[in-house]
Amino acid sequence: MASISSRPHSIASAGKSMDTTSARMMALVNQDILQLIFSYFRAVVDPGNTTKLNKLVLFRAALTCKAFMEPALDVLWWSMTSLIPVLKLLRNFQVVEGTIETYAFCDNFSDQDWTRFDYYSKRVRDFHYHAAPTHQISATALIRLAQHRRIIYPHLQKVVWSTALSPSAIFLMAPTLESLDVQNSLDDPDIMTTLVSTILSSLPQSLTSIALRGSVSAACRALVPKMTSLSTVIIPDLNVSGSSELLHQLGAWGSLENLHISLWRSTTERLTFPNNIGFPTLRVLCISGQLGSIRNFVAAVTSNQVVSISVSSDCIDTTGVGIRRPKPKLPQRQLDFPGFLCSLTTRWPHLSRLDFDLSNPSQNPGISLHTLLNPIQNRSLIESIFIRGFSRIPCSDQDLTDIGSTLPKAQALGIPFSPYQNNSPTIFGLQSLAQLCPDLTSLQLSIDTRELPTLTNKLLTHGLKTLSVGNSPIEDEFLVAAHLDCLFPYLEKISGIDSTPNAAEHRGWKLVEKILHSCQEARRIGECRRVRQINCGATVN
């Protein structure tokens, strides 16, 4: 590190011949601006090549000059997926045995090692542990580490631990921790209870969000109501005795704004709640269960500030909180979805985001999309609405036009997929929707690609990013891609729901996505050439 810091070609020295009042010079000497620039290279936690490329870019930036080194290192070490990289900064931390790599400390610690350790560990803010471990840290190593550092990452803000918990998770409970997401999936329930209880009892007051996924024991659950500073609570599995008491305790808080729960039981009983269960400051509700139980819970919540609701009555997890429920033993009654939607929008007039997954409801085959969405006709504040599960709802171009007129501020729109091509909107409907909803970034619907309008070279400036088309058949991938490129020149992803990777529809839409990316890349190259020509002309003049 000393060799990097002693390099003579720093921005300050290179900038002597530059105009110090120029915008470029001001940006290069401003650490906040540099960190913002480098944050766009922040590695997304995934096994793909993008992560490695971003880390390589940040590493090279840190070696460029003194001005780049600190902000680039901050972003490079921002997110970690293992304890091993930072522990390897200690030279006596080595592999000692086993087919699975087992690490231990093989020698004494030195002050120089701890100086280097602290220099990098203080930069870590997010810890995401997803993959199955290919290595392990010996128990003796953890004991020795605890004698020197009780907390490995002193400025850690977020922890996501999706696999089975291990004792090393205790070293992540930093005093600055704001969000904790753990999966209680240990084989031994006693060990899991002891470990989770130890972690929860050591959490700092700065914690504002907690998610306990999997089977939550009564001992662990009893600790949650004591954390009155929490604003977000995610407990998907409430299929245990005492869940009503927990909801009463959480409802008495004055700070809870986000609640993610499941009301599913092993039977088909409908849960009831007192008229005033609390939750006075609730703003986001993500809930799974029978519609009757959900209705009762909604009626019992005292908050009138809810702006977002996600409802799931399917065994598939669509809420992002790991909900799994048993299949009902009795047939479902006919669902009055318009009435249910009307009750929600009446109960909470400020609702702006709605997400429903009501798979396989007993629906009236004659119901139309207009009837389904009639309760939101005069709700111009709605920015996002997704409806899944109604598989026989026809949707025409006129329906899209009506929806666009009703929801001019929509940013995300999900219309039930139709298995019938004749009941799907065409490119004409997409064009009308793009004009009526200029802020739309995510769209889900079936598309009939058989009838295509005359292609024009005029590009819209619409910012749609993702398009989900289900199993919509496609005949001419290149022509469809050309039309979509004119409508949505910034489209990044096209996905098909319920389609296998080998299905013809899936392959066709993936080809459309590749063509769109090629068109976008060609435009970027052309724009770079145009700017270069303008700059060259200005230099000559």
Side-chain angles (χ1 to χ4, degrees):
M1 193 58 61
S3 61
I4 298 176
S5 303
S6 60
R7 292 190 178 190
H9 53 282
S10 65
I11 289 295
S13 59
K16 292 181 179 180
S17 59
M18 298 173 58
D19 181 6
T20 56
T21 62
S22 67
R24 179 183 298 180
M25 185 58 189
M26 293 175 64
L28 292 178
V29 298
N30 189 304
Q31 295 292 300
D32 294 332
I33 294 178
L34 286 175
Q35 192 160 15
L36 177 62
I37 294 173
F38 290 134
S39 67
Y40 288 96
F41 293 94
R42 187 175 298 165
V44 179
V45 180
D46 58 34
N49 294 328
T50 303
T51 299
K52 296 180 180 179
L53 177 61
N54 288 348
K55 286 183 175 293
L56 181 60
V57 170
L58 293 169
F59 173 72
R60 290 173 175 173
L63 297 177
T64 301
C65 59
K66 288 183 179 180
F68 285 5
M69 185 175 68
E70 290 296 329
L73 287 178
D74 285 341
V75 179
L76 179 62
W77 286 81
W78 184 278
S79 181
M80 301 296 293
T81 59
S82 172
L83 299 175
I84 300 298
V86 70
L87 292 179
K88 282 186 175 180
L89 295 171
L90 304 171
R91 287 178 292 183
N92 60 344
F93 187 70
Q94 301 173 6
V95 177
V96 291
E97 61 183 6
T99 54
I100 298 179
E101 293 183 347
T102 301
Y103 286 86
F105 294 106
C106 303
D107 202 350
N108 295 326
F109 299 101
S110 67
D111 293 339
Q112 184 179 2
D113 287 341
W114 286 118
T115 300
R116 182 171 58 173
F117 179 90
D118 295 336
Y119 180 78
Y120 290 99
S121 64
K122 68 181 181 181
R123 305 176 190 274
V124 180
R125 298 295 186 271
D126 291 354
F127 187 87
H128 297 253
Y129 191 78
H130 292 280
T134 57
H135 53 261
Q136 60 184 4
I137 303 174
S138 66
T140 56
L142 294 178
I143 294 174
R144 290 193 62 188
L145 180 63
Q147 296 173 351
H148 296 268
R149 295 292 186 275
R150 297 291 300 273
I151 303 298
I152 293 182
Y153 304 126
H155 300 298
L156 195 63
Q157 297 175 351
K158 181 179 181 180
V159 173
V160 177
W161 198 292
S162 298
T163 60
L165 281 171
S166 68
S168 57
I170 298 176
F171 289 91
L172 302 175
M173 301 301 109
T176 57
L177 193 64
E178 299 175 358
S179 176
L180 175 65
D181 188 328
V182 295
Q183 175 71 43
N184 307 326
S185 57
L186 286 181
D187 296 332
D188 191 329
D190 294 332
I191 295 178
M192 180 272 293
T193 299
T194 302
L195 182 57
V196 175
S197 298
T198 303
I199 292 175
L200 294 183
S201 61
S202 62
L203 288 175
Q205 292 296 322
S206 60
L207 194 73
T208 59
S209 174
I210 188 169
L212 299 178
R213 308 179 191 276
S215 180
V216 182
S217 66
C220 299
R221 198 177 64 252
L223 294 173
V224 176
K226 299 179 181 180
M227 308 172 193
T228 55
S229 62
L230 293 176
S231 61
T232 299
V233 173
I234 302 174
I235 307 182
D237 190 357
L238 285 178
N239 189 18
V240 290
S241 60
S243 58
S244 298
E245 180 182 357
L246 174 61
L247 290 176
H248 279 286
Q249 293 173 330
L250 296 179
W253 290 358
S255 60
L256 192 62
E257 298 182 356
N258 300 270
L259 180 64
H260 298 225
I261 57 171
S262 169
L263 300 180
W264 283 112
R265 295 284 186 153
S266 58
T267 64
T268 56
E269 64 184 23
R270 177 181 296 183
L271 301 181
T272 58
F273 304 92
N275 293 332
N276 191 352
I277 197 173
F279 301 99
T281 58
L282 191 65
R283 294 180 59 83
V284 178
L285 175 62
C286 190
I287 187 168
S288 174
Q290 294 181 352
L291 263 296
S293 301
I294 294 175
R295 284 178 183 268
N296 293 338
F297 185 82
V298 167
V301 172
T302 60
S303 172
N304 60 358
Q305 307 173 20
V306 176
V307 296
S308 175
I309 184 169
S310 176
V311 176
S312 173
S313 63
D314 189 356
C315 56
I316 299 176
D317 174 18
T318 58
T319 62
V321 297
I323 292 176
R324 297 180 64 187
R325 66 137 176 111
K327 295 182 179 180
K329 298 180 180 179
L330 299 176
Q332 291 178 293
R333 299 178 180 179
Q334 182 168 320
L335 172 64
D336 179 20
F337 180 78
F340 176 59
L341 182 57
C342 182
S343 65
L344 291 178
T345 54
T346 303
R347 176 71 179 82
W348 293 313
H350 301 293
L351 273 176
S352 61
R353 310 186 73 84
L354 303 96
D355 192 316
F356 303 95
D357 189 332
L358 309 169
S359 293
N360 302 317
S362 300
Q363 63 189 59
N364 183 350
I367 191 173
S368 64
L369 187 62
H370 180 270
T371 303
L372 198 69
L373 300 179
N374 185 63
I376 62 171
Q377 288 296 319
N378 298 320
R379 304 285 179 176
S380 59
L381 295 177
I382 292 180
E383 299 177 352
S384 172
I385 180 167
F386 274 83
I387 302 176
R388 305 174 183 88
F390 292 87
S391 60
R392 298 190 299 273
I393 302 293
C395 179
S396 64
D397 290 340
Q398 184 59 45
D399 290 328
L400 278 190
T401 301
D402 294 340
I403 292 175
S405 301
T406 303
L407 306 174
K409 297 182 180 180
Q411 299 176 7
L413 177 62
I415 299 173
F417 291 121
S418 174
Y420 310 110
Q421 194 171 14
N422 293 334
N423 293 334
S424 301
T426 66
I427 296 295
F428 292 100
L430 282 181
Q431 184 175 1
S432 177
L433 184 66
Q435 294 172 348
L436 294 171
C437 300
D439 299 327
L440 203 63
T441 59
S442 179
L443 179 61
Q444 166 196 295
L445 78 172
S446 300
I447 302 178
D448 183 355
T449 61
R450 294 174 299 176
E451 183 180 358
L452 298 174
T454 303
L455 187 62
T456 63
N457 294 326
K458 183 179 179 180
L459 292 177
L460 298 180
T461 57
H462 201 282
L464 188 74
K465 298 294 185 182
T466 61
L467 176 64
S468 300
V469 294
N471 292 329
S472 300
I474 184 170
E475 297 180 0
D476 191 330
E477 293 85 354
F478 288 90
L479 191 56
V480 171
H483 281 87
L484 290 179
D485 188 51
C486 290
L487 291 177
F488 311 117
Y490 305 105
L491 191 61
E492 296 177 354
K493 183 176 180 58
I494 300 179
S495 61
I497 298 179
D498 297 332
S499 60
T500 61
N502 294 325
E505 294 86 356
H506 179 88
R507 296 195 304 269
W509 286 108
K510 283 302 176 184
L511 177 57
V512 170
E513 183 180 89
K514 291 181 180 179
I515 297 172
L516 288 175
H517 291 168
S518 299
C519 295
Q520 294 166 7
E521 182 64 22
R523 282 197 296 272
R524 280 193 289 267
I525 294 175
E527 181 64 19
C528 289
R529 290 177 176 175
R530 187 182 68 83
V531 172
R532 189 180 298 113
Q533 291 175 354
I534 293 176
N535 292 337
C536 292
T539 303
V540 172
N541 293 333

